[in-house]
Structures are given as structure tokens and as C-alpha cells.
Amino acid sequence: MHIDKLEKNWAGISLGIAGLFVTVILGSAFLHGIHAPSNVETIDSAKLHLSAEFAEDKLGAHRNANGSITVRMVAGRYGFYPKELTLPAETEITFRWVSLDVIHGVHMPMTNMSTMIVPGYVAQVSTAFHHAGDYPVLCNEYCGMGHAHMWSNIKVVSKAQWEALNKQGGANHG
């Protein structure tokens, strides 16, 4: 089979560009510490309210022994629960998400927080907020007619403010 020299050149250029794109994407991911979610943990979405971890009284922020925070949230048509949370700045925070019903996406602008929440699985993302302020939590996966109203809000305060709120009982749960 004869392939014209011009076609060979263009095929080489096309493959070179594709290789360059792959190299840039992988290099960028490596340099910025970006990696695919690897926490594969299953849960029965129909029994979330009965689970030890995602029962209604267990939702919200909880301090771990090492000083980090674990936040447990539930996504369901059409909201994230709890709706409001207060969290400390400059602290390692692990978000654990589950879905009650359909696939949801969670995105928090101005952070590295963006993941899919698939029914039957626990989505886990770790982050730290470096600046105090209000951070909206938005659903970025169409989940039905009320999708546009699916939101939550995270208020980030200084560690000292969070400690004071915690002593008053106002920061642990949203």
C-alpha cells in the first residue's frame, strides 16, 4: 500500500500534536497534584438514614483526633444537606458525599472541589480553605426539574473563630 509523502507528513504532525497534548495534560496533573478519585467505597443509598456514618445526626463537620475535619454531606433532589456549614480556614478537610437518588455533581467555585456523587458510592475529596469567606456549593450535574435550586453554603472562618463557635455548639453541625 502506497501512502503519499504529504499524507505521511500530516499524519506525523497530527500524532505529534496529540502526543504533545497528552504530555501537557499528564505533566500538568503531576506538577499540580491532580489525580483521579480512587476512593471506591460502596453504600446502600436506600438505607442512608439508617447508616452509622450518614444518619441525619451525623451529618456536618466533625473534628478528628489529628486536628483535621471530616464533613459528611448528603445530596438529594434538590439540595445538599446540611444546607449551611461553618468550617475553619487553614485546616485539612475531607468531604465525604453520598447521593440519595440520582447522579449529582458537586462544585465549589474558587477551590479544587469538584466531583461526581454516584448513588451507591461514597465520594471523597480532601481540601483546605486558605481564605475566610462564603463558598457556594453547586450541583453541576443535571438531576431533574429542581436542579437550578440545588445548592448549599459553606462559611469559612478563622481557626480561632471556629474554636469559639465550637465551644458554643454552633460550628459542628450545619
Side-chain angles (χ1 to χ4, degrees):
M1 178 171 121
H2 173 71
I3 299 176
D4 188 71
K5 183 179 178 185
L6 187 59
E7 287 181 11
K8 284 183 184 178
N9 289 344
W10 278 110
I13 290 171
S14 299
L15 290 173
I17 290 172
L20 178 67
F21 286 162
V22 169
T23 303
V24 167
I25 290 169
L26 293 177
S28 176
F30 178 73
L31 288 174
H32 297 290
I34 300 168
H35 49 80
S38 60
N39 183 48
V40 179
E41 186 178 339
T42 60
I43 193 164
D44 186 352
S45 294
K47 296 180 182 172
L48 285 178
H49 63 290
L50 301 174
S51 73
E53 184 176 5
F54 291 98
E56 192 171 343
D57 62 332
K58 302 282 196 253
L59 299 180
H62 301 275
R63 184 192 318 249
N64 301 320
N66 65 2
S68 66
I69 305 291
T70 298
V71 176
R72 290 174 182 85
M73 294 186 79
V74 173
R77 289 189 191 150
Y78 294 101
F80 294 111
Y81 306 102
K83 283 297 236 184
E84 303 272 339
L85 275 175
T86 302
L87 297 173
E90 301 299 334
T91 303
E92 181 68 24
I93 299 172
T94 300
F95 285 87
R96 291 178 54 81
W97 299 84
V98 292
S99 173
L100 288 169
D101 43 32
V102 297
I103 294 176
H104 296 281
V106 62
H107 173 70
M108 200 176 305
M110 302 171 290
T111 70
N112 67 339
M113 259 279 288
S114 186
T115 192
M116 300 294 293
I117 308 168
V118 179
Y121 293 91
V122 177
Q124 183 169 307
V125 178
S126 294
T127 191
F129 297 100
H130 299 290
H131 305 287
D134 288 330
Y135 291 83
V137 179
L138 310 170
C139 183
N140 62 5
E141 183 74 28
Y142 183 75
C143 54
M145 295 296 288
H147 167 73
H149 305 289
M150 189 166 174
W151 62 272
S152 186
N153 189 57
I154 293 178
K155 181 178 183 138
V156 176
V157 297
S158 69
K159 280 186 180 184
Q161 277 183 292
W162 194 77
E163 292 293 338
L165 284 170
N166 224 4
K167 286 179 184 172
Q168 298 169 3
N172 266 350
H173 302 284

